[in-house]
Amino acid sequence: MSATGSEVSGRDELEEVAERYAVAITPQLQELIDAESHDGPVSRQFLPDARELDVDASELDDPIGDAPHSPVPGIVHRYPDRVLLMPTRICAAYCRFCFRREVVGRRPDGLLSASELAGAMRYIRDHDEIWEVILSGGDPLVLSPRRLRRILDELRSIAHVRVLRVHTRVPLVAPDRIGGELVRILRAAAPLFVVVHANHDSEFTAAGEAACARLVDAGIPLLAQTVLLRAVNDDPETLERLMRRCVENRIRPYYLHHADRANGTAHFRTGLDKGQGIVADLRGRVSGLCQPTYVLDIPGGHGKSPAGPGYVRTRSGSTEIRDFEGRWHRFEDG
């Protein structure tokens, strides 16, 4: 049977998406996608969608403003005491809503050159206000253990760098990479925190949970970051399941990100008021251990700002506090 015109058009659009933005899906993710018949919360995060070709006038190539704060290749220095170090632009799998989608997966190797990496390290050494270095990208855990060890060892040799952080999806999307050698390398760089990106509880397979356990059992603290996404997790019940699943796996929820205005991602974004309502609902539903901070990256490079609902107000000269059920109570301050 020959394909219909609409089917051919649909294939052409998806090919155009794949030409414009990086696409990669791991075997672990493919199993989850097949299990939900290519139409579920995991599929929506990773399968190309023709709507990615629709660019809203308010969308940006660099929605969180990395470029103005990048003094040398591989470094983003937005906040006084910490920098991002991006040794690779490659990921194990590419999120369809990625705020760096215009730069990730675009070079064949995706690595900083030796001279670029040396320049990034030199910048960190020369700025003694830098207390924390956050490895991001790209996903730093796609690097070979040898390369990652070399980077971490050099960072650990810089006296004023006291804390390291690694942002990654690898433990859940490619859990086999979390082997004994990698765990030992990360443990040797302590204090080092691993921040795992997860948006739906179905991402926690048995293999993924085992990979996270290998890290925690080695003494590596895990945090979680999540992006609020329409038709993936934009309701209190789904986020409750996810946050509980994180804590049950000894992963502390850290950030709930409002989706950024990256090109071709309007179909993922919710209104800020909806996010605030969900966060307010979570406050009364789950333990404090399960509460992420709802944040918005201000477009233009102005950094993250808490975007959660307000719990304190002043009315007629009196201070009032809102409880988890939405009721306001007078509070005598001082």
Side-chain angles (χ1 to χ4, degrees), residues 18-84:
E19 288 175 3
R20 179 164 182 180
Y21 303 117
V23 178
I25 294 171
T26 64
Q28 187 80 22
L29 285 175
Q30 191 63 57
E31 289 182 10
L32 294 176
I33 289 168
D34 291 343
E36 59 186 29
S37 300
H38 295 212
D39 185 23
V42 177
S43 301
R44 293 178 195 125
Q45 291 182 67
F46 294 102
L47 291 182
D49 187 313
R51 289 175 291 180
E52 295 176 53
L53 300 175
D54 300 328
V55 178
D56 186 276
S58 67
E59 292 176 338
L60 301 165
D61 289 352
D62 181 15
I64 71 168
D66 280 343
H69 299 282
S70 183
V72 297
I75 292 286
V76 176
H77 194 177
R78 194 187 323 269
Y79 305 101
D81 73 335
R82 56 204 182 274
V83 296
L84 288 181

Side-chain angles (χ1 to χ4, degrees), residues 16 159 266 291:
E16 188 176 346
Q291 304 288 338

Side-chain angles (χ1 to χ4, degrees), residues 47-197:
L47 291 182
D49 187 313
R51 289 175 291 180
E52 295 176 53
L53 300 175
D54 300 328
V55 178
D56 186 276
S58 67
E59 292 176 338
L60 301 165
D61 289 352
D62 181 15
I64 71 168
D66 280 343
H69 299 282
S70 183
V72 297
I75 292 286
V76 176
H77 194 177
R78 194 187 323 269
Y79 305 101
D81 73 335
R82 56 204 182 274
V83 296
L84 288 181
L85 171 61
M86 296 181 286
T88 180
R89 296 289 193 176
I90 300 298
C91 295
Y94 292 100
C95 307
R96 308 319 309 160
F97 49 87
C98 179
F99 63 89
R100 293 195 180 108
R101 61 195 333 230
E102 297 292 345
V103 295
V104 295
R106 305 303 285 268
R107 284 168 46 177
D109 60 1
L111 300 173
L112 286 181
S113 68
S115 62
E116 287 171 336
L117 184 57
M121 290 294 185
R122 186 163 51 250
Y123 181 89
I124 295 170
R125 286 186 184 278
D126 290 346
H127 288 76
D128 59 10
E129 74 274 24
I130 296 171
W131 176 81
E132 180 185 25
V133 176
I134 303 160
L135 275 70
S136 184
D139 193 318
L141 294 192
V142 305
L143 295 171
S144 70
R146 176 184 57 81
R147 187 181 295 269
L148 182 61
R149 179 192 290 113
R150 191 163 63 242
I151 291 170
L152 294 177
D153 284 350
E154 184 163 359
L155 291 172
R156 283 267 61 98
S157 74
I158 302 172
H160 56 264
V161 174
R162 307 301 298 170
V163 175
L164 302 177
R165 201 193 318 170
V166 174
H167 284 204
T168 183
R169 263 196 183 266
V170 163
L172 296 181
V173 306
D176 290 348
R177 293 190 66 89
I178 310 298
E181 182 182 10
L182 178 58
V183 171
R184 288 190 295 273
I185 289 168
L186 295 173
R187 179 68 184 90
L192 178 147
F193 294 77
V194 171
V195 182
V196 179
H197 182 171

